[in-house]
């Protein structure tokens, strides 16, 4: 297995992680994606690019994000010790700024004027609008009309930041239609625009590039944990939507075979079609949005409807490297339900004073279960991918009664 793990450090030249990944795109895009790959390969070898990005991570994002021992919660559970990697403390409140800054710098270095993307809940849109303003790029964010109404505060944030929020009135007027319209807009002018993908998904080089930008999380965590506790954590846990915060943490530890690694997918309301988004747990290999990976699909290869209480986890595909990590058994993919996640959100809030994003609460829900089966000398490091500010109104409205509110 160790050879497989080493080979996974990079996809091959065509962007394959084992049989997953690659680039399934219209011929007109091939030369454009090749250019992006070439530009990225060049800057990734350029020390001045890394210096510029690392300075922004430090002075703008507030990195390194701390590691915090959850003493109250761990003692209450009475098993293994749980630690958080605090990506929730980053500027803009989540891990997404790590790759948005990387993509914005790449866009600028390629001489493009505008960076574009779709957004569902608005988290990727806000992080990208932030990075665009800092680096000096125009920014167009495509968003379904339904989501614009639902996610009003993030729409306002993007507008204050100077981004153009472009309403999409097609189809169900939500994320999938926003992807389609943004993609069409991209095809109209791929020379002056860069499409910034929001996770480790899409055609090569995006799964590799977004992973590389997020890998700062794992590199920091490894060093911090070793320095502070004199050893590495025994277990890693992260939630998996597209899989960027998870691979960001995991990538530094894949070759440490004594460490158990867990990716947590949303089982939503249950495992009937349309009630969950547990792609690796319930899906099968196929092609979507330009890459091959596990997918939730019907018998014709069409993506199934997906659902999770966490809009950031609600995607029928998953990053191709995760598909390989599942197949070779290096990472175990498990699930947490809506209810378990909401319980975990209140538990972390009320034992430690940290309100997590609902996405991150899925990782906490599994970590609490895992801790129960461990002894106090064993450790779990959870990637707390984001803060819960964006979720509080929804949580109180939908679930407040169950928690005395
Ligand atoms: C977007 C988001 C996620 C899911 O994306 P990944 O690419 O799977 O990391 C998880 N947590 C938060 C806070 C998010 O905003």
């Amino acid at each position: 297995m160790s050879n497989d793990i080493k080979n996974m450090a990079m996809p091959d030249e065509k962007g394959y992680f084992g049989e997953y990944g690659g680039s399934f795109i219209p011929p007109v895009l091939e030369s454009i994606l090749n250019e992006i790959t070439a530009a990225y390969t060049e800057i990734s070898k350029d020390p001045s690019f890394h210096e510029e990005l690392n300075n922004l991570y430090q002075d703008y994002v507030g990195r390194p994000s701390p590691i915090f021992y959850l003493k109250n919660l761990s003692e209450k559970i009475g098993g293994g010790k749980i630690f958080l990697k605090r990506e929730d403390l980053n500027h803009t409140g989540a891990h997404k700024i790590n790759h948005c800054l990387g993509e914005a710098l790449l866009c600028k270095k390629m001489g493009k004027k505008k960076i574009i993307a779709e957004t569902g809940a608005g988290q990727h849109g806000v992080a990208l609008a932030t990075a665009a303003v800092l680096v000096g790029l125009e920014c167009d964010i495509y968003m379904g009309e339904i989501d614009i109404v639902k996610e009003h505060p993030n729409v306002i944030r993007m507008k204050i930041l100077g981004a153009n929020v472009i309403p999409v009135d097609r189809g169900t007027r939500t994320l999938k239609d926003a992807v389609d319209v943004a993609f069409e807009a991209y095809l109209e002018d791929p020379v002056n625009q860069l499409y910034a993908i929001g996770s480790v998904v899409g055609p090569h080089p995006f799964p590799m590039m977004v992973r590389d930008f997020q890998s700062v999380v794992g590199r920091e965590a490894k060093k911090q944990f070793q320095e502070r506790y004199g050893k590495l954590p025994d277990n890693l846990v992260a939630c998996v939507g597209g899989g960027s915060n998870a691979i960001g943490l995991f990538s530094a530890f894949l070759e440490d075979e004594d460490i158990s690694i867990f990716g947590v997918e949303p089982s939503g309301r249950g495992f009937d079609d349309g009630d969950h988004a547990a792609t690796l747990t319930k899906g099968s290999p196929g092609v979507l949005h330009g890459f091959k990976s596990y997918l939730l699909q019907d018998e014709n290869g069409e993506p199934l409807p997906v659902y999770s209480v966490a809009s950031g986890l609600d995607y029928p595909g998953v990053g191709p490297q995760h598909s390989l990590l599942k197949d070779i058994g290096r990472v175990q993919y498990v699930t947490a339900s809506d209810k378990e996640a909401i319980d975990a959100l209140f538990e972390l809030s009320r034992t430690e004073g940290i309100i997590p994003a609902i996405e991150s609460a899925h990782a906490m829900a599994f970590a609490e279960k895992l801790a129960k089966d461990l002894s106090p000398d064993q450790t779990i490091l959870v990637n707390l991918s984001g803060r819960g500010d964006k979720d509080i109104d929804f949580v109180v409205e939908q679930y407040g009664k169950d928690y005395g509110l």
Side-chain angles (χ1 to χ4, degrees), residues 186-367:
Y186 179 54
L187 285 180
E188 275 170 30
D189 186 5
V191 174
N192 291 305
Q193 308 184 99
L194 182 77
Y195 195 138
I197 293 183
S199 186
V200 283
V201 298
H204 182 60
F206 285 95
M208 167 180 81
M209 206 163 81
V210 171
R211 176 207 54 200
D212 292 353
F213 293 140
Q214 286 297 343
S215 67
V216 63
V217 175
R219 278 197 311 276
E220 279 176 14
K222 195 168 190 177
K223 184 161 173 275
Q224 289 168 311
F225 208 94
Q226 181 72 47
E227 280 175 9
R228 183 72 177 266
Y229 303 104
K231 57 176 186 174
L232 294 180
D234 300 305
N235 301 274
L236 304 176
V237 179
C239 65
V240 178
S244 66
N245 87 87
I247 206 74
L249 177 66
F250 299 168
S251 55
F253 298 91
L254 290 174
E255 290 175 30
D256 299 297
E257 291 182 51
D258 294 341
I259 300 178
S260 302
I261 307 182
F262 300 91
V264 186
E265 299 192 301
S267 55
R269 295 179 288 240
F271 283 118
D272 289 338
D273 285 354
D275 279 347
H276 67 91
T279 308
L280 289 159
T281 309
K282 290 288 173 187
S284 56
V287 172
L288 176 71
H289 293 154
F291 67 108
K292 182 176 177 191
S293 198
Y294 275 79
L295 294 182
L296 291 166
Q297 57 187 332
D298 66 16
E299 55 290 352
N300 302 318
E302 289 298 314
L304 286 167
V306 284
Y307 161 82
S308 164
V309 66
S311 41
L313 301 182
D314 165 342
Y315 181 63
V318 66
Q321 192 169 1
H322 287 290
S323 292
L324 176 62
L325 290 167
K326 173 192 161 77
D327 283 3
I328 65 171
R330 180 63 191 98
V331 176
Q332 296 170 66
Y333 294 90
V334 296
T335 59
S337 68
D338 283 5
K339 173 153 195 332
E340 290 169 324
I342 299 294
D343 272 346
L345 181 147
F346 276 95
E347 184 70 3
L348 186 65
S349 301
R350 291 177 176 184
T351 55
E352 302 282 353
I354 297 170
I355 305 176
I358 305 182
E359 289 81 3
S360 323
H362 284 73
M364 279 307 301
F366 177 76

